[in-house]
Amino acid sequence: MSIVVLCGGVGGSRFLKALCEMRLQEEITAIVNTGDDLELYGLRISPDIDIVVYTLAGMINPQTAWGIRGDTFNCLDALRNLGEEAWFQLGDRDMATQIWRAKLMRQGKTLTETTALMTERFGLSLQVLPMCDELAPTMMETSEGITHFQHYLVRDKCEKSVKAIYPGGCGFEAAPGALDAIRSARMILFAPSNPFVSIGTILSVKGIRDAITAASAPKVGVSPLIGSDVIKGPAARMLSDLGLPVSSAGVSAQYAGILDAFIIDTADEAQAKEIRELGIEPHLADIMLDTPERRSALVKKVLEAGGAG
Ligand code: FO1
């Protein structure tokens, strides 16, 4: 029986780090968003899987929270000189991961298989699963048309207002093992990740939402927002563009009918009533994940909220 964690990149990896620091890694199956994946230079880039693996391996660039610490960009510079677009900052060592993944995939390995090999090669003992094996990009409808999520986020720097989000998982089969892990989990956790383009995308994969709803395990989420601020990423901007409340309660509304409990920051105590009215039990905690003490206190709270404290 495992602890299944649905997660995106930055918030998800920090939450997984907190769980791993509490020696839960052997028990964890992380189902990671791959709606952010893209193909560049003939390579399959899987940013959220890479962010999770680099973070847990202690290699993540702490300034950006993506890419590898101390990486150089000679390969990208050379590609730019050859006339290639180079808006996605892939470092040299990060590029090696992409070349290696592409090689394995050309040999017929799936993303699930390459991810399992990657976690093993980086010395990790948790199970990391992509949400699905196919390239299933999340598309963003903005004032200027429909575009790939990474074009919206990185190339265009979230400059365009979001009108609608088309989560990448729709119609795709879940990665082998994902549905079984959910069905037999002792607890299902939603990391403090973006409710639309991370958790929402995973929930859009065929069978995942239904399997979670039907699972008997307690389901606990952690808010990615404190007040109306998000620690990293475009969640607040998206809520606002979509005309939704920019708050933990606004995020929890995306999880109504799925989650049993939602951890919000003590600063957001005033939203507890609204969350309870959605049928989700709110729990107050310090949800910042920046020190080992804060991380362990939050994990204890999460386990407590899931009845395993
Ligand atoms: N995010 C950026 O804002 N700019 C980048 O140039 C960029 C490059 C990049 C390279 C590798 C990688 O694994 C992630 C990278 N990210 C970059 C982050 C990433 O696009 C998003 O933060 C995640 O997809 C959201 O979880």
Side-chain angles (χ1 to χ4, degrees):
M1 291 233 287
S2 66
I3 299 176
V4 166
V5 186
L6 267 54
C7 67
V10 178
S13 61
R14 288 177 178 161
F15 185 60
L16 286 172
K17 179 175 163 172
L19 291 163
C20 291
E21 283 173 352
M22 297 296 277
R23 298 170 198 273
L24 291 165
Q25 59 267 38
E26 309 277 343
E27 273 198 74
I28 294 172
T29 296
I31 302 179
V32 180
N33 167 47
T34 56
D36 295 14
D37 289 18
L38 70 166
E39 281 179 337
L40 288 172
Y41 323 118
L43 308 172
R44 165 72 176 268
I45 323 293
S46 204
D48 287 3
I49 285 176
D50 294 346
I51 292 169
V52 163
V53 172
Y54 296 155
T55 300
L56 298 181
M59 296 167 58
I60 201 79
N61 178 343
Q63 266 89 46
T64 52
W66 46 262
I68 296 176
R69 188 185 340 109
D71 214 349
T72 48
F73 291 86
N74 297 309
C75 183
L76 200 70
D77 288 343
L79 284 163
R80 195 179 285 112
N81 288 339
L82 286 165
E84 289 292 316
E85 280 191 8
W87 49 268
F88 199 73
Q89 297 299 301
L90 277 172
D92 293 329
R93 291 167 69 201
D94 200 1
M95 197 72 88
T97 302
Q98 316 311 323
I99 293 168
W100 175 76
R101 176 185 288 126
K103 181 200 120 178
L104 295 176
M105 292 185 87
R106 261 197 313 278
Q107 290 171 348
K109 293 225 179 328
T110 62
L111 186 62
T112 303
E113 290 165 340
T114 61
T115 303
L117 257 181
M118 185 180 175
T119 50
E120 187 193 311
R121 299 276 158 90
F122 280 78
L124 306 178
S125 49
L126 80 168
Q127 185 182 29
V128 180
L129 290 177
M131 64 182 201
C132 65
D133 273 327
E134 288 78 15
L135 188 63
T138 291
M139 303 300 284
M140 309 295 289
E141 187 174 345
T142 70
S143 41
E144 290 180 30
I146 296 179
T147 181
H148 188 289
F149 171 73
Q150 295 291 357
H151 287 171
Y152 157 80
L153 179 80
V154 178
R155 192 193 61 190
D156 304 337
K157 301 182 172 49
C158 304
E159 275 160 5
K160 293 162 191 156
S161 174
V162 177
K163 290 180 159 176
I165 299 166
Y166 304 101
C170 290
F172 289 98
E173 301 289 336
L179 295 179
D180 284 344
I182 291 168
R183 289 183 191 120
S184 64
R186 76 169 171 100
M187 198 175 292
I188 299 172
L189 304 177
F190 288 11
S193 296
N194 189 301
F196 305 108
V197 296
S198 296
I199 307 291
T201 302
I202 303 171
L203 290 174
S204 75
V205 174
K206 230 196 251 180
I208 289 196
R209 179 185 288 264
D210 288 348
I212 294 176
T213 312
S216 54
K219 296 139 207 166
V220 182
V222 179
S223 177
L225 259 66
I226 300 178
S228 58
D229 295 326
V230 71
I231 292 149
K232 176 114 184 154
R237 177 73 203 270
M238 285 180 189
L239 282 159
S240 154
D241 285 358
L242 295 169
L244 299 168
V246 186
S247 64
S248 290
V251 173
S252 71
Q254 301 301 313
Y255 302 143
I258 313 176
L259 284 187
D260 300 310
F262 197 53
I263 317 278
I264 60 170
D265 199 84
T266 41
D268 291 327
E269 188 175 1
Q271 297 172 36
K273 184 169 173 282
E274 203 181 320
I275 296 170
R276 193 169 290 118
E277 281 165 6
L278 292 164
I280 300 172
E281 189 54 32
H283 292 258
L284 299 174
D286 172 4
I287 64 168
M288 288 291 287
L289 290 166
D290 56 347
T291 65
E293 294 72 30
R294 285 177 130 167
R295 289 194 288 271
S296 72
L298 180 64
V299 170
K300 284 181 193 146
K301 199 81 191 181
V302 169
L303 297 179
E304 231 174 79

